[in-house]
Coordinates of all heavy atoms in Angstrom, one line a residue:
L1 N 120.2 4.0 54.8 CA 118.8 4.4 55.0 C 118.6 5.8 54.5 O 117.5 6.1 54.0 CB 118.5 4.3 56.5 CG 118.4 2.8 57.0 CD1 118.3 2.8 58.5 CD2 117.3 2.0 56.4
L2 N 119.5 6.7 54.8 CA 119.3 8.1 54.3 C 119.2 8.1 52.8 O 118.3 8.9 52.3 CB 120.5 8.9 54.8 CG 120.5 9.2 56.3 CD1 121.8 9.9 56.7 CD2 119.3 10.0 56.8
R3 N 120.1 7.4 52.1 CA 120.0 7.5 50.6 C 118.6 6.9 50.2 O 118.1 7.4 49.2 CB 121.2 6.7 50.0 CG 122.4 7.4 50.2 CD 123.5 6.7 49.4 NE 124.8 7.2 49.8 CZ 125.3 8.4 49.6 NH1 124.6 9.3 48.9 NH2 126.5 8.7 50.0
R4 N 118.2 5.8 50.8 CA 116.9 5.2 50.4 C 115.8 6.2 50.7 O 114.8 6.3 49.9 CB 116.7 3.9 51.2 CG 115.4 3.2 50.8 CD 115.4 2.7 49.4 NE 114.2 2.0 49.1 CZ 113.4 2.1 48.0 NH1 113.9 2.9 47.0 NH2 112.3 1.5 47.9
A5 N 115.8 6.9 51.8 CA 114.8 7.9 52.1 C 114.7 9.0 51.0 O 113.6 9.4 50.5 CB 114.9 8.5 53.5
A6 N 115.9 9.4 50.6 CA 116.0 10.5 49.5 C 115.4 9.9 48.2 O 114.7 10.6 47.5 CB 117.4 11.0 49.4
Q7 N 115.8 8.7 47.9 CA 115.4 8.0 46.7 C 113.9 7.9 46.7 O 113.2 8.1 45.7 CB 116.0 6.6 46.6 CG 115.6 5.8 45.4 CD 116.2 4.4 45.3 OE1 116.8 4.0 46.3 NE2 116.0 3.8 44.2
L8 N 113.2 7.5 47.8 CA 111.8 7.4 47.9 C 111.1 8.7 47.6 O 110.1 8.8 47.0 CB 111.4 6.8 49.2 CG 111.7 5.3 49.3 CD1 111.4 4.9 50.8 CD2 110.9 4.5 48.4
H9 N 111.7 9.8 48.2 CA 111.2 11.2 48.0 C 111.2 11.4 46.5 O 110.2 12.0 45.9 CB 112.0 12.2 48.7 CG 111.4 12.5 50.0 ND1 111.7 11.8 51.2 CD2 110.7 13.6 50.5 CE1 111.1 12.3 52.2 NE2 110.5 13.4 51.8
R10 N 112.3 11.1 45.8 CA 112.4 11.4 44.4 C 111.4 10.5 43.6 O 110.8 11.0 42.6 CB 113.8 11.3 43.9 CG 114.7 12.3 44.6 CD 116.1 12.4 43.9 NE 117.0 13.1 44.7 CZ 117.0 14.4 45.0 NH1 116.0 15.2 44.5 NH2 117.9 15.0 45.7
E11 N 111.3 9.3 43.9 CA 110.4 8.4 43.2 C 109.0 8.7 43.3 O 108.2 8.6 42.4 CB 110.6 6.9 43.7 CG 111.9 6.3 43.3 CD 112.1 4.9 43.9 OE1 111.2 4.4 44.6 OE2 113.2 4.3 43.7
R12 N 108.6 9.3 44.5 CA 107.2 9.6 44.8 C 107.0 11.1 44.8 O 106.1 11.6 45.4 CB 106.9 9.0 46.1 CG 107.0 7.5 46.1 CD 106.7 6.9 47.4 NE 106.9 5.4 47.3 CZ 107.0 4.6 48.3 NH1 106.8 5.1 49.5 NH2 107.2 3.4 48.1
R13 N 107.8 11.8 44.1 CA 107.8 13.3 44.1 C 106.4 13.9 43.8 O 105.9 14.7 44.5 CB 108.8 13.8 43.0 CG 108.9 15.3 42.9 CD 110.0 15.6 41.8 NE 110.2 17.0 41.8 CZ 109.9 17.8 40.8 NH1 109.3 17.4 39.7 NH2 110.2 19.1 40.9
D14 N 105.8 13.4 42.7 CA 104.5 14.0 42.3 C 103.5 13.7 43.3 O 102.6 14.5 43.7 CB 104.1 13.5 40.9 CG 105.0 14.0 39.8 OD1 105.7 15.1 40.0 OD2 105.1 13.4 38.7
E15 N 103.5 12.4 43.8 CA 102.5 12.0 44.8 C 102.6 12.8 46.1 O 101.6 13.3 46.6 CB 102.7 10.5 45.0 CG 101.8 9.9 46.1 CD 102.1 8.5 46.4 OE1 103.0 7.9 45.8 OE2 101.6 8.0 47.5
L16 N 103.8 12.9 46.5 CA 104.1 13.7 47.8 C 103.7 15.2 47.6 O 103.1 15.8 48.5 CB 105.5 13.6 48.2 CG 106.0 12.2 48.7 CD1 107.5 12.1 48.9 CD2 105.3 11.8 50.0
A17 N 104.0 15.7 46.5 CA 103.7 17.1 46.2 C 102.1 17.3 46.2 O 101.6 18.3 46.8 CB 104.2 17.6 44.9
K18 N 101.4 16.4 45.6 CA 100.0 16.5 45.5 C 99.3 16.4 46.9 O 98.3 17.1 47.1 CB 99.4 15.4 44.6 CG 99.7 15.6 43.1 CD 99.1 14.5 42.3 CE 99.6 14.6 40.8 NZ 99.2 13.5 40.0
I19 N 99.9 15.7 47.8 CA 99.4 15.6 49.2 C 99.4 17.0 49.8 O 98.4 17.4 50.4 CB 100.2 14.6 50.0 CG1 99.9 13.2 49.5 CG2 99.8 14.7 51.5 CD1 100.8 12.1 50.1
I20 N 100.5 17.7 49.7 CA 100.6 19.0 50.4 C 99.8 20.1 49.6 O 99.4 21.1 50.3 CB 102.0 19.4 50.8 CG1 103.0 19.4 49.7 CG2 102.5 18.5 51.9 CD1 104.4 19.9 50.1
V21 N 99.6 19.9 48.4 CA 98.7 20.8 47.6 C 97.3 20.6 48.2 O 96.6 21.6 48.5 CB 98.8 20.5 46.1 CG1 97.7 21.2 45.4 CG2 100.2 21.0 45.5
R22 N 96.9 19.4 48.3 CA 95.5 19.1 48.7 C 95.3 19.4 50.2 O 94.3 20.0 50.6 CB 95.3 17.6 48.5 CG 93.8 17.1 48.9 CD 93.6 15.7 48.6 NE 94.4 14.8 49.5 CZ 95.3 14.0 49.1 NH1 95.6 13.8 47.8 NH2 96.0 13.2 50.0
E23 N 96.3 19.1 51.1 CA 96.0 19.2 52.5 C 96.4 20.6 53.0 O 95.8 21.0 54.0 CB 96.9 18.2 53.3 CG 96.5 16.8 53.1 CD 97.2 15.8 53.9 OE1 98.1 16.2 54.7 OE2 96.9 14.6 53.8
M24 N 97.2 21.4 52.3 CA 97.7 22.7 52.8 C 97.3 23.8 51.9 O 97.4 25.0 52.3 CB 99.2 22.7 53.0 CG 99.6 21.6 54.0 SD 101.5 21.5 54.0 CE 101.9 23.2 54.3
G25 N 97.0 23.5 50.6 CA 96.7 24.5 49.7 C 98.0 25.2 49.1 O 98.0 26.2 48.5
K26 N 99.1 24.5 49.3 CA 100.4 25.0 48.7 C 100.3 24.8 47.2 O 99.8 23.9 46.7 CB 101.5 24.1 49.3 CG 102.9 24.6 48.9 CD 104.0 23.9 49.7 CE 104.3 24.6 51.0 NZ 105.6 24.2 51.5
Q27 N 101.0 25.8 46.6 CA 101.1 25.8 45.1 C 101.9 24.6 44.7 O 102.9 24.3 45.3 CB 101.7 27.1 44.6 CG 100.8 28.3 44.9 CD 99.5 28.3 44.1 OE1 99.4 28.0 42.9 NE2 98.4 28.6 44.8
I28 N 101.6 24.0 43.5 CA 102.3 22.8 43.1 C 103.8 23.0 42.9 O 104.6 22.2 43.2 CB 101.6 22.2 41.8 CG1 102.2 20.8 41.4 CG2 101.8 23.1 40.6 CD1 101.9 19.8 42.5
D29 N 104.2 24.2 42.3 CA 105.6 24.5 42.2 C 106.3 24.5 43.5 O 107.4 23.9 43.7 CB 105.9 25.8 41.5 CG 105.5 25.7 40.0 OD1 105.3 24.6 39.4 OD2 105.3 26.8 39.4
G30 N 105.7 25.1 44.5 CA 106.3 25.1 45.8 C 106.3 23.7 46.5 O 107.4 23.4 47.2
A31 N 105.3 22.9 46.2 CA 105.3 21.6 46.8 C 106.3 20.7 46.1 O 107.0 20.0 46.9 CB 103.8 21.0 46.5
L32 N 106.5 20.8 44.9 CA 107.6 20.0 44.2 C 108.9 20.4 44.7 O 109.8 19.6 44.9 CB 107.4 20.2 42.7 CG 106.2 19.5 42.0 CD1 106.1 20.0 40.5 CD2 106.3 18.0 42.0
G33 N 109.1 21.7 44.8 CA 110.4 22.2 45.3 C 110.7 21.8 46.7 O 111.8 21.4 47.1
E34 N 109.6 21.7 47.6 CA 109.9 21.2 48.9 C 110.2 19.7 48.9 O 111.1 19.3 49.7 CB 108.6 21.4 49.8 CG 108.8 20.9 51.2 CD 107.6 21.1 52.1 OE1 106.7 22.0 51.7 OE2 107.5 20.4 53.1
V35 N 109.6 18.9 48.1 CA 110.0 17.5 48.0 C 111.4 17.3 47.6 O 112.2 16.6 48.2 CB 109.0 16.7 47.1 CG1 109.5 15.3 46.9 CG2 107.6 16.7 47.6
D36 N 111.8 18.1 46.6 CA 113.2 18.1 46.1 C 114.2 18.6 47.2 O 115.2 17.9 47.4 CB 113.4 19.0 44.9 CG 112.6 18.5 43.7 OD1 112.3 17.3 43.6 OD2 112.4 19.3 42.8
F37 N 113.8 19.6 47.9 CA 114.6 20.1 48.9 C 114.9 19.1 50.1 O 116.0 18.9 50.6 CB 114.0 21.5 49.5 CG 114.9 22.2 50.5 CD1 116.2 22.6 50.2 CD2 114.4 22.6 51.7 CE1 116.9 23.2 51.1 CE2 115.2 23.2 52.6 CZ 116.5 23.6 52.3
A38 N 113.8 18.5 50.5 CA 113.9 17.4 51.5 C 114.8 16.3 51.1 O 115.6 15.8 51.9 CB 112.5 16.9 51.9
A39 N 114.7 15.9 49.8 CA 115.5 14.9 49.3 C 117.0 15.3 49.3 O 117.9 14.6 49.6 CB 115.1 14.4 47.9
D40 N 117.2 16.5 48.9 CA 118.6 17.1 48.8 C 119.2 17.1 50.2 O 120.4 16.8 50.4 CB 118.6 18.5 48.2 CG 118.3 18.6 46.7 OD1 118.3 17.5 46.1 OD2 118.0 19.7 46.2
I41 N 118.4 17.6 51.2 CA 119.0 17.6 52.6 C 119.3 16.2 53.0 O 120.4 16.0 53.7 CB 117.9 18.2 53.5 CG1 117.8 19.7 53.2 CG2 118.3 18.0 55.0 CD1 116.6 20.4 54.0
T42 N 118.5 15.3 52.8 CA 118.7 13.9 53.2 C 120.0 13.4 52.5 O 120.8 12.7 53.2 CB 117.5 13.0 52.9 OG1 116.3 13.6 53.5 CG2 117.7 11.6 53.4
E43 N 120.1 13.6 51.3 CA 121.3 13.2 50.5 C 122.5 13.9 51.1 O 123.6 13.3 51.1 CB 121.2 13.4 49.0 CG 120.3 12.4 48.4 CD 120.2 12.7 46.9 OE1 120.5 13.8 46.4 OE2 119.7 11.8 46.2
Y44 N 122.5 15.1 51.5 CA 123.6 15.8 52.1 C 124.1 15.1 53.3 O 125.3 14.9 53.4 CB 123.2 17.3 52.4 CG 124.3 18.0 53.2 CD1 125.3 18.6 52.5 CD2 124.3 17.9 54.6 CE1 126.4 19.2 53.2 CE2 125.4 18.5 55.3 CZ 126.4 19.2 54.6 OH 127.4 19.8 55.3
Y45 N 123.2 14.7 54.2 CA 123.6 14.0 55.3 C 124.2 12.6 55.0 O 125.2 12.2 55.6 CB 122.5 13.9 56.4 CG 122.3 15.2 57.1 CD1 121.2 16.1 56.8 CD2 123.2 15.6 58.1 CE1 121.1 17.3 57.4 CE2 123.1 16.8 58.7 CZ 122.0 17.7 58.4 OH 121.9 18.9 59.1
A46 N 123.6 12.0 54.0 CA 124.2 10.7 53.6 C 125.6 10.9 53.1 O 126.5 10.1 53.4 CB 123.3 10.0 52.5
D47 N 125.8 11.9 52.3 CA 127.1 12.2 51.7 C 128.2 12.6 52.7 O 129.4 12.4 52.5 CB 127.0 13.3 50.6 CG 126.3 12.8 49.4 OD1 126.1 11.6 49.2 OD2 125.9 13.7 48.6
H48 N 127.8 13.2 53.8 CA 128.7 13.8 54.8 C 128.6 13.1 56.1 O 129.2 13.6 57.1 CB 128.4 15.3 55.0 CG 128.7 16.1 53.7 ND1 127.7 16.3 52.8 CD2 129.8 16.7 53.3 CE1 128.2 17.0 51.8 NE2 129.5 17.2 52.1
I49 N 128.1 11.9 56.2 CA 127.8 11.2 57.5 C 129.1 11.0 58.2 O 129.2 11.1 59.4 CB 127.0 10.0 57.3 CG1 126.5 9.5 58.7 CG2 127.7 8.9 56.6 CD1 125.5 10.4 59.3
E50 N 130.2 10.6 57.4 CA 131.5 10.2 58.0 C 132.1 11.4 58.8 O 132.5 11.3 59.9 CB 132.4 9.7 57.1 CG 132.0 8.4 56.4 CD 131.9 7.2 57.4 OE1 132.6 7.2 58.4 OE2 130.9 6.4 57.3
E51 N 132.0 12.6 58.1 CA 132.6 13.8 58.8 C 131.7 14.3 59.9 O 132.2 14.8 60.9 CB 132.9 14.9 57.8 CG 131.7 15.5 57.1 CD 132.1 16.3 55.9 OE1 132.4 15.8 54.9 OE2 132.0 17.6 56.0
I52 N 130.4 14.2 59.8 CA 129.5 14.7 60.8 C 129.6 13.8 62.1 O 129.5 14.4 63.1 CB 128.0 14.6 60.2 CG1 127.9 15.7 59.1 CG2 127.0 14.8 61.3 CD1 126.6 15.5 58.4
T53 N 129.8 12.5 61.9 CA 129.9 11.7 63.1 C 131.2 11.3 63.5 O 131.4 10.5 64.4 CB 129.0 10.4 62.8 OG1 129.6 9.7 61.7 CG2 127.6 10.7 62.5
A54 N 132.3 11.9 62.9 CA 133.7 11.5 63.2 C 134.0 12.0 64.6 O 133.5 13.0 65.1 CB 134.6 12.2 62.2
D55 N 134.8 11.3 65.3 CA 135.4 11.7 66.6 C 136.1 13.0 66.4 O 136.8 13.2 65.4 CB 136.4 10.7 67.1 CG 135.7 9.3 67.5 OD1 134.5 9.3 67.6 OD2 136.4 8.4 67.9
A56 N 136.0 13.9 67.4 CA 136.6 15.2 67.4 C 137.6 15.2 68.5 O 137.3 15.1 69.7 CB 135.6 16.3 67.6
P57 N 138.9 15.3 68.2 CA 139.9 15.4 69.3 C 139.8 16.6 70.1 O 139.4 17.7 69.6 CB 141.3 15.4 68.5 CG 140.9 15.4 67.0 CD 139.5 15.4 66.9
V58 N 140.1 16.4 71.4 CA 140.0 17.5 72.4 C 141.4 17.7 72.9 O 142.0 16.8 73.4 CB 139.0 17.1 73.6 CG1 139.0 18.2 74.6 CG2 137.7 16.8 73.0
P59 N 141.9 19.0 72.8 CA 143.2 19.2 73.3 C 143.2 19.2 74.8 O 142.3 19.7 75.5 CB 143.5 20.7 72.8 CG 142.2 21.2 72.4 CD 141.3 20.1 72.1
I60 N 144.2 18.5 75.4 CA 144.3 18.4 76.9 C 145.7 18.8 77.3 O 146.6 18.7 76.5 CB 143.9 17.0 77.3 CG1 144.9 15.9 76.8 CG2 142.5 16.7 77.0 CD1 144.7 14.6 77.4
D61 N 145.8 19.2 78.5 CA 147.1 19.4 79.1 C 147.7 18.1 79.6 O 147.0 17.3 80.2 CB 147.0 20.4 80.3 CG 146.6 21.8 79.8 OD1 146.8 22.2 78.7 OD2 145.9 22.5 80.6
G62 N 149.0 17.9 79.4 CA 149.6 16.7 79.9 C 149.5 15.5 78.9 O 149.2 15.6 77.7
D63 N 149.8 14.3 79.5 CA 149.8 13.1 78.6 C 148.4 12.6 78.4 O 147.5 12.8 79.2 CB 150.6 12.0 79.3 CG 152.1 12.4 79.5 OD1 152.6 13.2 78.6 OD2 152.7 11.9 80.4
G64 N 148.2 11.8 77.3 CA 146.9 11.2 77.0 C 146.2 11.9 75.9 O 146.7 12.8 75.3
T65 N 145.1 11.3 75.6 CA 144.2 11.8 74.5 C 142.8 11.8 74.9 O 142.4 11.1 75.9 CB 144.3 11.0 73.2 OG1 143.9 9.6 73.5 CG2 145.7 10.9 72.7
A66 N 142.0 12.7 74.3 CA 140.6 12.7 74.6 C 139.9 13.0 73.3 O 140.4 13.8 72.4 CB 140.3 13.8 75.6
V67 N 138.7 12.5 73.1 CA 137.9 12.8 72.0 C 136.4 12.9 72.4 O 136.0 12.5 73.4 CB 137.9 11.6 70.9 CG1 139.3 11.5 70.4 CG2 137.4 10.3 71.4
I68 N 135.7 13.7 71.5 CA 134.3 13.7 71.7 C 133.7 12.7 70.7 O 134.0 12.8 69.5 CB 133.7 15.1 71.4 CG1 134.2 16.1 72.4 CG2 132.2 15.1 71.3 CD1 133.9 17.6 72.2
R69 N 133.0 11.8 71.1 CA 132.4 10.8 70.2 C 130.9 11.0 70.1 O 130.2 11.1 71.1 CB 132.7 9.4 70.7 CG 132.1 8.3 69.9 CD 132.7 6.9 70.1 NE 134.1 7.0 69.5 CZ 135.1 6.3 69.9 NH1 134.9 5.4 70.9 NH2 136.3 6.4 69.4
K70 N 130.5 11.1 68.9 CA 129.0 11.3 68.6 C 128.4 9.9 68.4 O 128.9 9.1 67.5 CB 128.8 12.2 67.5 CG 129.4 13.6 67.7 CD 129.3 14.4 66.4 CE 130.1 15.7 66.6 NZ 130.3 16.4 65.4
A71 N 127.4 9.6 69.1 CA 126.7 8.3 68.9 C 125.2 8.5 68.9 O 124.7 9.4 69.6 CB 127.1 7.4 70.1
P72 N 124.5 7.8 68.1 CA 123.0 8.0 68.0 C 122.4 7.5 69.3 O 122.8 6.5 69.9 CB 122.6 7.1 66.8 CG 123.7 6.1 66.6 CD 125.0 6.8 67.1
L73 N 121.4 8.3 69.7 CA 120.6 7.9 70.9 C 119.2 7.5 70.7 O 118.5 7.0 71.6 CB 120.6 9.1 71.8 CG 122.0 9.6 72.3 CD1 121.8 10.9 73.1 CD2 122.7 8.5 73.1
G74 N 118.7 7.6 69.4 CA 117.3 7.2 69.2 C 116.7 8.1 68.1 O 117.4 8.7 67.3
V75 N 115.4 8.3 68.2 CA 114.7 9.1 67.3 C 114.9 10.5 67.4 O 115.1 11.0 68.5 CB 113.2 8.8 67.5 CG1 112.3 9.6 66.6 CG2 112.8 7.3 67.3
L76 N 115.0 11.2 66.3 CA 115.2 12.7 66.3 C 113.9 13.3 66.0 O 113.2 12.9 65.0 CB 116.2 13.0 65.2 CG 116.4 14.5 65.0 CD1 117.0 15.2 66.1 CD2 117.2 14.8 63.7
L77 N 113.5 14.3 66.7 CA 112.3 15.0 66.5 C 112.6 16.4 66.1 O 113.4 17.1 66.8 CB 111.4 15.0 67.7 CG 110.2 16.0 67.7 CD1 109.2 15.5 66.6 CD2 109.5 16.1 69.0
G78 N 112.1 16.9 65.0 CA 112.3 18.3 64.6 C 110.9 19.0 64.5 O 110.0 18.4 63.9
V79 N 110.8 20.1 65.2 CA 109.5 20.8 65.1 C 109.7 21.8 64.1 O 110.5 22.7 64.2 CB 109.2 21.5 66.5 CG1 107.9 22.3 66.4 CG2 109.1 20.4 67.6
M80 N 108.9 21.7 63.0 CA 109.1 22.6 61.8 C 107.8 23.4 61.6 O 106.7 23.0 62.2 CB 109.3 21.7 60.6 CG 110.6 21.0 60.7 SD 112.0 22.1 60.8 CE 113.3 21.0 60.7
P81 N 107.9 24.4 60.9 CA 106.7 25.2 60.5 C 105.7 24.3 59.8 O 106.0 23.4 59.1 CB 107.2 26.3 59.6 CG 108.6 26.3 59.7 CD 109.1 25.0 60.2
W82 N 104.4 24.5 60.1 CA 103.4 23.7 59.5 C 103.4 23.7 58.0 O 103.0 22.8 57.4 CB 102.0 24.2 60.0 CG 101.6 25.5 59.5 CD1 101.9 26.7 60.1 CD2 101.0 25.8 58.3 NE1 101.4 27.7 59.3 CE2 100.9 27.2 58.2 CE3 100.5 25.1 57.2 CZ2 100.3 27.9 57.1 CZ3 99.9 25.8 56.1 CH2 99.8 27.1 56.1
N83 N 103.9 24.8 57.4 CA 103.9 24.9 55.9 C 105.1 24.2 55.2 O 105.2 24.4 54.0 CB 103.7 26.4 55.6 CG 104.8 27.2 56.1 OD1 105.5 26.9 57.1 ND2 105.0 28.4 55.6
F84 N 105.9 23.5 56.0 CA 107.0 22.7 55.3 C 107.0 21.3 55.9 O 108.0 21.0 56.6 CB 108.3 23.4 55.6 CG 108.5 24.7 54.8 CD1 108.2 25.9 55.4 CD2 108.8 24.7 53.4 CE1 108.3 27.1 54.7 CE2 108.9 25.9 52.7 CZ 108.6 27.1 53.3
P85 N 106.0 20.5 55.7 CA 105.9 19.2 56.3 C 107.1 18.2 55.9 O 107.5 17.4 56.8 CB 104.6 18.7 55.9 CG 104.2 19.4 54.6 CD 104.8 20.8 54.8
Y86 N 107.5 18.3 54.7 CA 108.6 17.3 54.3 C 109.9 17.8 54.8 O 110.8 16.9 55.0 CB 108.6 17.0 52.8 CG 107.3 16.4 52.3 CD1 106.6 17.0 51.3 CD2 106.7 15.3 53.0 CE1 105.4 16.4 50.9 CE2 105.5 14.8 52.6 CZ 104.8 15.3 51.5 OH 103.7 14.7 51.2
Y87 N 110.1 19.0 54.9 CA 111.4 19.6 55.4 C 111.6 19.2 56.8 O 112.6 18.7 57.2 CB 111.4 21.1 55.3 CG 112.7 21.7 55.8 CD1 113.9 21.5 55.1 CD2 112.6 22.5 56.9 CE1 115.0 22.1 55.6 CE2 113.8 23.1 57.4 CZ 115.0 22.9 56.8 OH 116.1 23.4 57.2

């Protein structure tokens, strides 16, 4: 899903940039850069998902093992500056 989201940003780059030029008054170069940056960030997470979500061993005293397991809980909300809507 992450790779597909990045692919859609790249496929619709010009269209997405024009939206923030029209709605925010952002310069076209900055708008294109933001679309690219958002796609790059999404691809980064797709490329590193295994290490980001990997179990992390926890050292303990005595016998046994313990790990921190990361599991998705639902929708993620990020509050970002108004001037970087795709980021």
Side-chain angles (χ1 to χ4, degrees):
L1 289 173
L2 290 172
R3 288 191 196 289
R4 180 66 177 137
Q7 179 184 9
L8 289 170
H9 267 80
R10 294 195 194 289
E11 288 174 6
R12 299 175 183 171
R13 180 180 190 248
D14 293 337
E15 175 187 352
L16 291 170
K18 287 177 186 175
I19 291 170
I20 55 179
V21 166
R22 182 179 66 243
E23 291 184 2
M24 301 171 54
K26 187 172 269 200
Q27 297 293 315
I28 190 65
D29 289 343
L32 290 167
E34 182 179 336
V35 175
D36 294 341
F37 186 55
D40 290 346
I41 290 170
T42 306
E43 284 180 345
Y44 172 87
Y45 283 103
D47 291 343
H48 295 89
I49 195 69
E50 295 300 325
E51 65 192 74
I52 291 169
T53 60
D55 288 351
V58 177
I60 60 171
D61 294 331
D63 295 332
T65 61
V67 297
I68 296 174
R69 176 159 291 152
K70 299 172 187 169
L73 297 176
V75 176
L76 171 69
L77 170 68
V79 178
M80 297 300 185
W82 67 270
N83 55 344
F84 291 98
Y86 298 130
Y87 177 69

